């Protein structure tokens, strides 16, 4: 099946620093990727839609200047948490629709393994 | 805004029994539904999906039922195994591809050996 990877798998940083998380589609091209945040014992909340070659679309309440998204190629999207604070500590997960499944409709989304961020 | 919700946050079942996880959705425009399994510390894993023009779909040991009249979705797992222990999320979206997915609150399934 389709594989989506994330790097790093976990990161610990000091408050005020920036952290970059990478999301890669390994065996398919992804013009669209999605970024989610998940707090302990809660569901996944969509943060933004990453579009290759254009600006990301952010969900209501998500600060675009704090969570910078870059989709520079058809296999890579990055999420940068700028000036991270302890409240940004969370599990960040990306997903990508695979156009080679679901009859080419790109409806089936495959998720990365997640990146756990701890801000001290 | 509209959201997908679950009735039971935790479900405990005996190994070998069948499990039923329920979900209520509220967005009547959604026409594509997915069940995901998430193990601790990992990303969600696709289990099975169903379109709104169907009311039942079967996979290997899993069955998804959709009742559009009452906006209800369920996941049935036959002969539940310890490896099935995880959090299960239902999710809704629009067909047509590349649409954002809205997740329900999740149900934790605990399988008792």
């Amino acid at each position: 099946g389709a594989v989506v990877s994330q790097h790093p798998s976990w990161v610990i940083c000091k408050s005020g620093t920036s952290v970059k998380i990478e999301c890669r589609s390994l065996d398919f091209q992804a013009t669209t990727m999605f970024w989610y945040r998940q707090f302990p014992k809660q569901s996944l909340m969509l943060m933004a839609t990453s579009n290759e070659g254009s600006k990301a679309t952010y969900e209501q309440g998500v600060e675009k200047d704090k969570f910078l998204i870059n989709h520079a190629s058809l296999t890579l999207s990055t999420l940068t948490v700028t000036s991270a604070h302890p409240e940004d500590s969370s599990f960040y997960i990306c997903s990508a629709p695979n156009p080679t499944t679901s009859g080419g409709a790109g409806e089936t989304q495959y998720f990365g393994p997640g990146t756990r961020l701890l801000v001290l | 805004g509209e959201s997908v919700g679950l009735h039971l946050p935790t479900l405990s079942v005996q190994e070998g029994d069948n499990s039923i996880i329920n979900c209520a959705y509220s967005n009547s425009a959604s026409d594509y539904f997915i069940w995901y399994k998430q193990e601790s510390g990992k990303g969600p894993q696709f289990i099975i999906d169903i379109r709104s023009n169907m009311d039942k779909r079967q996979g290997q040991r899993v069955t998804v039922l959709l009742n559009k009249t009452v906006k209800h979705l369920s996941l049935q797992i036959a002969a539940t195994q310890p490896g099935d222990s995880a959090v299960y999320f239902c999710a809704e979206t629009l067909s047509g591809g590349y649409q954002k997915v809205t997740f329900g609150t999740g149900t934790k399934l605990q399988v008792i050996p």
Side-chain angles (χ1 to χ4, degrees):
Chain A
V3 178
V4 175
S5 70
Q6 284 184 240
H7 178 80
S9 56
W10 60 271
V11 57
I12 302 173
C13 69
K14 292 182 179 180
S15 184
T17 61
S18 295
V19 176
K20 179 185 286 188
I21 302 170
E22 295 183 347
C23 177
R24 293 181 186 272
S25 56
L26 299 184
D27 52 0
F28 65 98
Q29 293 183 332
T31 56
T32 302
M33 290 183 175
F34 298 91
W35 285 97
Y36 295 82
R37 181 168 52 184
Q38 184 179 32
F39 292 107
K41 301 188 186 303
Q42 294 188 24
S43 187
L44 283 75
M45 297 299 296
L46 180 66
M47 298 176 67
T49 302
S50 175
N51 304 298
E52 188 270 336
S54 64
K55 292 182 178 180
T57 304
Y58 291 82
E59 295 300 300
Q60 189 173 7
V62 179
E63 300 175 56
K64 62 180 181 180
D65 294 330
K66 179 170 182 61
F67 299 99
L68 301 179
I69 291 174
N70 186 297
H71 197 145
S73 75
L74 289 172
T75 59
L76 173 65
S77 174
T78 60
L79 169 68
T80 301
V81 184
T82 62
S83 186
H85 291 285
E87 57 266 30
D88 297 323
S89 298
S90 188
F91 194 48
Y92 292 86
I93 308 171
C94 69
S95 73
N98 185 349
T100 65
T101 61
S102 299
E107 292 171 329
T108 304
Q109 293 196 23
Y110 294 87
F111 285 79
T115 296
R116 188 162 302 283
L117 170 63
L118 177 60
V119 184
L120 302 177
Chain B
E2 296 185 295
S3 65
V4 179
L6 292 174
H7 298 299
L8 300 173
T10 304
L11 177 66
S12 296
V13 297
Q14 205 71 37
E15 181 179 356
D17 289 350
N18 296 334
S19 301
I20 300 176
I21 301 172
N22 296 302
C23 172
Y25 67 94
S26 58
N27 187 350
S28 56
S30 296
D31 58 1
Y32 181 57
F33 305 88
I34 316 105
W35 279 100
Y36 288 96
K37 172 186 180 183
Q38 186 180 31
E39 296 176 321
S40 182
K42 298 183 179 179
Q45 177 187 358
F46 174 91
I47 301 174
I48 193 168
D49 59 0
I50 189 168
R51 298 181 187 279
S52 60
N53 61 353
M54 304 172 67
D55 53 21
K56 181 179 180 179
R57 189 159 189 237
Q58 288 184 296
Q60 187 176 15
R61 280 202 308 120
V62 294
T63 301
V64 54
L65 299 178
L66 174 63
N67 186 329
K68 295 183 290 295
T69 302
V70 295
K71 296 179 184 173
H72 186 267
L73 198 67
S74 69
L75 176 70
Q76 300 178 2
I77 304 174
T80 311
Q81 303 169 359
D84 295 327
S85 294
V87 178
Y88 290 80
F89 293 97
C90 66
E92 60 173 330
T93 187
L94 298 173
S95 59
Y98 305 97
Q99 302 289 332
K100 60 184 181 181
V101 175
T102 300
F103 280 78
T105 54
T107 293
K108 182 178 181 180
L109 176 64
Q110 294 179 322
V111 181
I112 304 169

